[in-house]
């Protein structure tokens, strides 16, 4: 019985890594849809989110079932609680990719991103993809050092987010209100995506060490 229990615990990590793979693919396609006004990719991202949601629901059901049946303590309890938190963050990251895809769909057949912002939005998308890929590696390897690196990636995303606002607030902005709203929302989606990736990594650090990242870096 205990072997089956620990197999179920191990399977949580596998499902979380699968979520990161799906979310990375969704974000990649959403960014392409946003920049290229690709309606087909937009629809794929929106419909594909159901798979992410299902894994999230399965993880939640497994966690609650194991807590009820096994009454875990110490490290096992920490594994279950952090799995629940990480799954929630990853599910919301999938939702953010959907929001970006819906922005692309709403502006089709035009691109939602004016030419002078294409490079910045592309870079934000690349950072988002890099962060979710790194998040998957952190979950699989439980590498604390790699987990702590995501803060620096998040700082890069924040800088690009501020750059978007600098351009939107410039007197040279000539695209009107609706594109400005689209870009403002998209920037917020990218920024929140990065924040959730950091949250996932922080939970892995806590799972492995029993400490929050700030407790480690301040030590």
């Amino acid at each position: 019985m205990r072997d089956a229990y620990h197999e179920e615990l191990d399977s949580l990590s596998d499902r979380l890594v699968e979520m990161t793979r799906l979310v990375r693919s969704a974000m990649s396609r959403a960014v392409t849809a946003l920049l290229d006004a690709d309606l087909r990719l937009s629809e794929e991202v929106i419909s594909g989110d159901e798979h992410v949601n299902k894994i999230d629901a399965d993880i939640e059901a497994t966690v609650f079932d194991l807590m009820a049946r096994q009454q875990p303590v110490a490290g096992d309890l920490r594994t279950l609680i952090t799995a629940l938190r990480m799954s929630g963050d990853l599910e919301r990251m999938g939702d953010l990719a959907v929001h970006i895809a819906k922005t692309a769909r709403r502006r089709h057949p035009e691109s939602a991103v004016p030419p002078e912002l294409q490079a910045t939005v592309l870079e934000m998308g690349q950072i988002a993809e890099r962060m979710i890929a790194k998040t998957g590696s952190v979950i699989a390897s439980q590498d604390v050092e790699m987990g702590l690196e995501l803060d620096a990636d998040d700082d890069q995303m924040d800088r690009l987010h501020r750059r978007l606002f600098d351009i939107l607030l410039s007197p040279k902005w000539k695209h009107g209100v609706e594109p400005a709203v689209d870009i403002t929302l998209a920037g917020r989606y990218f920024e929140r995506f990065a924040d959730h990736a950091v949250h996932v990594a922080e939970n892995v650090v806590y799972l492995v060490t029993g400490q929050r990242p700030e407790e480690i870096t301040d030590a």
Side-chain angles (χ1 to χ4, degrees), residues 76-89:
D76 288 351
L77 181 60
R78 198 156 70 214
T79 296
L80 293 174
I81 296 301
T82 54
L84 202 57
R85 290 174 176 168
M86 288 188 280
S87 179
D89 276 311

Side-chain angles (χ1 to χ4, degrees), residues 77-135:
L77 181 60
R78 198 156 70 214
T79 296
L80 293 174
I81 296 301
T82 54
L84 202 57
R85 290 174 176 168
M86 288 188 280
S87 179
D89 276 311
L90 291 167
E91 189 273 333
R92 286 187 284 277
M93 291 170 83
D95 289 344
L96 290 164
V98 167
H99 292 331
I100 292 170
K102 286 183 176 179
T103 299
R105 183 176 68 177
R106 187 167 59 249
R107 293 299 167 208
H108 184 268
E110 303 297 325
S111 171
V113 184
E116 62 266 42
L117 286 173
Q118 291 252 337
T120 301
V121 170
L122 175 61
E123 190 174 354
M124 293 179 86
Q126 290 170 339
I127 292 172
E129 282 191 63
R130 183 165 72 243
M131 290 185 75
I132 186 60
K134 191 176 289 186
T135 299

Side-chain angles (χ1 to χ4, degrees), residues 117-187:
L117 286 173
Q118 291 252 337
T120 301
V121 170
L122 175 61
E123 190 174 354
M124 293 179 86
Q126 290 170 339
I127 292 172
E129 282 191 63
R130 183 165 72 243
M131 290 185 75
I132 186 60
K134 191 176 289 186
T135 299
S137 296
V138 169
I139 294 170
S141 65
Q142 297 192 349
D143 186 325
V144 170
E145 291 302 317
M146 188 186 299
L148 295 173
E149 290 173 8
L150 269 87
D151 260 338
D153 295 322
D154 187 42
D155 289 342
Q156 291 183 48
M157 186 70 87
D158 289 341
R159 282 194 292 272
L160 291 171
H161 192 211
R162 289 192 293 271
R163 185 191 300 172
L164 282 184
F165 278 102
D166 288 342
I167 296 172
L168 290 172
L169 296 173
S170 167
K172 296 180 180 179
W173 180 258
K174 60 182 185 296
H175 302 285
V177 174
E178 285 191 1
V181 171
D182 285 339
I183 295 299
T184 299
L185 290 173

Side-chain angles (χ1 to χ4, degrees), residues 35-56:
L35 294 172
D36 296 347
D38 190 320
L39 185 60
R40 179 184 60 82
L41 283 180
S42 296
E43 298 292 357
E44 285 181 5
V45 173
I46 294 164
S47 63
D49 191 51
E50 184 178 340
H51 193 180
V52 176
N53 294 342
K54 183 180 184 308
I55 298 176
D56 176 49

Side-chain angles (χ1 to χ4, degrees), residues 182-194:
D182 285 339
I183 295 299
T184 299
L185 290 173
R188 178 62 172 162
Y189 300 149
F190 283 120
E191 191 254 345
R192 289 300 298 148
F193 189 95

